[in-house]
Amino acid sequence: MGKKVLVIGGGIVGLSTAYFLKKAGHDVTVVDKSTMDYGASYVNAGYLTPSHIVPLAAPGVMKQGLKWMFNSASPLYIKPRLNPSFLRWAWAFNKSCSQANVDRSIKAIRDINLISRELFTEIRNENDWQFQLERKGLLMYCQTESMLEHEIELAELAQQHGLEAREVSMEEVRQMEPDCELDIIGAVHYACDGHTTPTELMQDLKSSLPVMGVTIRKQEEVTTIERKNGQIIRVVTDKSEYQPDEVILAAGSWSSSLANQLGLDLLLEGGKGYRINAHGDNKIQMPAILCEAKAAVTPMNGYTRFAGTMEIAGINHHVRKERVNAIAQAAKRYYPGVQIEAEEIADAQCGLRPVSPDGMAYIGRTAKCSNLVLATGHAMMGWSMGPATGLLISELISGQPTSMDLSPFDPDRKF
């Protein structure tokens, strides 16, 4: 028998969850405080990345972050603040930047991304949707020998875990990108990866879910979550109230403030990323990461997207021009002939990605509340992991065995 489920959050994770819950026969309502046409689900690089098996919290990351702390244009910018929740997160993040964290995370990150990659295809085919979905792989461009050596090591690690990855010669790169000039010394290719145009799939989901019977409430903010005897009994918004059987918390970077109402100390920070859409014919055919600059390049339908940076500076949508300019400058360093217009740089947008201290998502039930399921904290892989997260949550709600072990994503894990 279907349950009455309230999904809080209308990004890729929330809408994917609604999609699979409805397919499983549940009565689903999605509430989101935004207009559901901006944010991380719209400005990301559109990657499907089984290749990204190393979590954000890895050896050396905190040390590098401290070096970059006073450079607001750096690829990783952590703004120091005397905020108790941020200080707890920063302490836990520092502890998590270890080889042990990497070792215990790799398999789970790989598996959820591989499940999700296949679900993108399944969703597209089942519904005859036409959103861009390509499997050209992902190139890692390097301008220095030290970075190339590092990327080759990561590719070898990926190979050990069954992923298609290898160093490619400059001749092979030229065959993949025959029409644009590149200033690099070498590259690694992950054939296991794919890419999309995010706005296309988001529009398909927003248009089709109501037809399927999902109720979507935009510009409706959750104000109060009432709990009794370890169970949510009522969710109040600024426009209505709900008495669901199950609540899915998929509100991205805003999830921690809602979790706090239920006594959950959910360590989560918003990691801001930026995007520039360049509409000129830049002749770029391959998705790529500009490794030294930590920037991403994606040939999307109608434009080339340049994206990147991780800015931990609280919950806000303030666009820092110096960070946008850093992405544009990186693009021109690696692609000397690239054309990005001033108005395209001025039109840059940002989105907040929810980052847990260990770089692993929170997916699953919590002991603190019997009818609450968390689906947040995906860091830079929310887009790539979105459909798989939705399927896994649907399996949990339906009382079915999950498609993979969820223990690495346990919302109650300690840091």
Side-chain angles (χ1 to χ4, degrees), residues 57 145 269 277 309:
E145 289 290 349
E269 284 291 317
N277 290 342
T309 83

Side-chain angles (χ1 to χ4, degrees), residues 53-124:
I53 54 176
V54 177
L56 180 62
V61 173
M62 190 61 168
K63 182 179 180 181
Q64 184 63 69
L66 291 172
K67 289 180 180 178
W68 282 337
M69 187 173 286
F70 300 103
N71 177 8
S72 61
S74 63
L76 172 61
Y77 174 55
I78 303 176
K79 182 180 180 180
R81 332 192 278 287
L82 292 177
N83 175 286
S85 62
F86 165 74
L87 292 173
R88 290 199 306 275
W89 179 91
W91 179 257
F93 180 71
N94 182 53
K95 285 175 60 181
S96 298
C97 287
S98 66
Q99 189 59 46
N101 182 53
V102 172
D103 292 343
R104 63 174 167 259
S105 302
I106 285 177
K107 183 179 183 299
I109 294 175
R110 179 201 63 186
D111 289 352
I112 192 170
N113 271 296
L114 287 173
I115 292 169
S116 213
R117 186 189 68 183
E118 301 313 307
L119 287 175
F120 272 95
T121 301
E122 180 182 305
I123 290 169
R124 190 177 190 272

Side-chain angles (χ1 to χ4, degrees), residues 399-413:
Q400 300 173 350
T402 54
S403 296
M404 63 174 291
D405 176 22
L406 288 181
S407 60
F409 306 108
D410 181 5
D412 293 331
R413 65 186 183 273

